[in-house]
Amino acid sequence: MRGIAVGICGTDRDVVLGHKGRPPERRHRLVLGHESLGRVVTVPANSPYAPGDLVVGMVRRPDPVPCVRCAAGEWDACHNGRYTSCGITGRDGYGAQLWCAAPEFTVPVDPCIAARGVLAEPVSVLAKAWERISAMRPREHPHCVLVTGAGPLGLLAALLSAQRGYRTFLYTRTWTTRRTSLADRLGVTALERLDGVEPDVVLETTGAPHVLAGALDLIARNAVVCLLGLTAGEEGTAGEEGPSPALASAMRRLVPYNGVLFGTVNAARRHYADAVQALARADRDWLDDLITRQVSLDRWHEALERRPDDLKVVVTLEAPAEDAPHSGPAQGRAEKAPT
């Protein structure tokens, strides 16, 4: 595949800072990029793809044993923890102008989505979340969905909730003009404070314990709460925003209310396929406005900077001009393109 783009998220920053991740065995560097988009260049005989097809590379690879889940193709639920994750743990990512992957580790992207397909990986995690939520609430649809956090993951969570026709509320303390516009165009209700709602479903994307605690204080009976956000910067936070308030809220509300609390951070192949379908149904202009900054490969390090107006930042992987400086693959601690 010829790399088209990789999306940047907090995980990439954490890998660069050394808070998480590890390079492949006997290596000191790791090629970044787990949110991918590529175009097929060459294929082996009997491949389901043809040159020119758009594809997304999956993040996780099965463990070598394999465990019972990995043997069944559910690498996202690996039991023994010996899996690898492209661009994060033990395997090079997709931040390269050329990369290779077996067909079973890729998902086709509808040409109508085009470059927006780089959003498929974060949407796949949300598709998995909704699959589990639906399994936990088989007899009723949620009357009220609360999404906490209006970053790219939170906005995409609101998108999937709105696509399902659910009454959706989106909370953040820092509403900007762009965030407000994106929420309004989805038809979701913007919240500046965590009050006034009684959600049946909560999608928590901030990773902040005090936000989780506030959301848990609001939940309805039989609610399902999904944790989707966790960054190294949030772990070990002390004082008022430490884990104790969230734990106390969980015990106080979830137990007597028969609630469910679960987390997810990756996805199986079927969830990627669901994500591609969700992107195909979404408004193209809305998706374009979610991507607020595109950075060329030779300036890839700028994508890791946090800027006030950023939502989704993408590194474009097309070759720079011959006279432009070139720093190679987007490396946290990387040596070469993945093979």
Side-chain angles (χ1 to χ4, degrees):
M1 271 64 70
R2 186 173 301 281
I4 295 175
V6 291
I8 299 298
C9 74
T11 297
D12 300 293
R13 299 183 183 94
D14 288 340
V15 171
V16 169
L17 292 172
H19 295 320
K20 63 175 62 172
R22 58 177 171 81
E25 291 186 10
R26 297 182 295 277
R27 291 266 303 278
H28 300 290
R29 294 177 178 270
L30 171 75
V31 177
L32 295 175
H34 59 280
E35 300 180 7
S36 66
L37 179 66
R39 189 179 300 279
V40 174
V41 178
T42 60
V43 295
N46 301 317
S47 170
Y49 296 111
D53 288 348
L54 289 175
V55 297
V56 168
M58 296 176 59
V59 176
R60 187 168 285 194
R61 298 290 188 273
D63 71 81
V65 174
C67 73
V68 62
R69 288 294 185 90
C70 287
E74 296 180 347
W75 317 303
D76 56 314
C78 178
H79 273 304
N80 61 26
R82 295 181 62 187
Y83 61 86
T84 55
S85 294
C86 295
I88 304 173
T89 307
R91 185 178 292 270
D92 281 334
Y94 300 103
Q97 292 171 330
L98 289 172
W99 49 268
C100 301
E104 61 265 32
F105 301 125
T106 61
V107 177
V109 173
D110 191 320
C112 74
I113 301 174
R116 307 169 189 93
V118 75
L119 299 171
E121 191 279 333
V123 177
S124 73
V125 180
L126 296 165
K128 176 182 175 180
W130 275 112
E131 179 185 84
R132 290 192 169 187
I133 291 167
S134 298
M136 295 172 192
R137 298 177 59 89
R139 295 178 179 83
E140 57 182 326
H141 294 303
H143 299 292
C144 174
V145 175
L146 171 64
V147 179
T148 55
L153 189 61
L155 286 160
L156 288 169
L159 168 68
L160 265 63
S161 179
Q163 284 184 341
R164 285 162 170 74
Y166 301 147
R167 186 184 179 202
T168 306
F169 295 83
L170 180 62
Y171 162 78
T172 184
R173 292 184 298 179
T174 54
W175 284 103
T176 63
T177 300
R178 183 182 292 270
R179 287 175 174 172
T180 302
S181 173
L182 288 168
D184 288 345
R185 287 151 64 187
L186 288 178
V188 306
T189 302
L191 296 178
E192 295 182 355
R193 298 179 59 185
L194 278 174
D195 59 18
V197 296
E198 191 179 30
D200 305 287
V201 171
V202 176
L203 297 165
E204 207 300 294
T205 72
T206 70
H210 68 287
V211 175
L212 172 61
L216 288 171
D217 282 339
L218 302 174
I219 58 171
R221 295 184 182 278
N222 305 305
V224 178
V225 180
C226 177
L227 307 183
L228 292 148
L230 177 63
T231 64
E234 295 290 349
E235 296 178 21
T237 305
E240 291 185 348
E241 297 185 359
S244 296
L247 179 59
S249 294
M251 295 174 67
R252 183 172 61 251
R253 299 287 285 191
L254 290 173
V255 176
Y257 277 36
N258 295 300
V260 176
L261 177 68
F262 76 98
T264 186
V265 74
N266 47 67
R269 196 175 192 279
R270 66 182 182 277
H271 305 127
Y272 279 82
D274 290 343
V276 170
Q277 293 181 10
L279 291 172
R281 294 193 298 269
D283 179 81
R284 307 288 189 271
D285 291 336
W286 190 93
L287 296 174
D288 290 340
D289 287 344
L290 184 71
I291 300 174
T292 51
R293 191 155 55 95
Q294 298 189 51
V295 179
S296 60
L297 178 59
D298 56 308
R299 303 171 68 92
W300 68 269
H301 56 280
E302 295 180 6
L304 299 173
E305 300 171 1
R306 294 183 181 272
R307 299 184 181 179
D309 297 330
D310 279 346
L311 286 175
K312 195 64 187 176
V313 180
V314 169
V315 176
T316 56
L317 300 175
E318 291 83 4
E322 291 184 3
D323 59 347
H326 176 53
S327 58
Q331 298 176 351
R333 296 170 183 173
E335 288 181 341
K336 60 182 181 179
T339 56

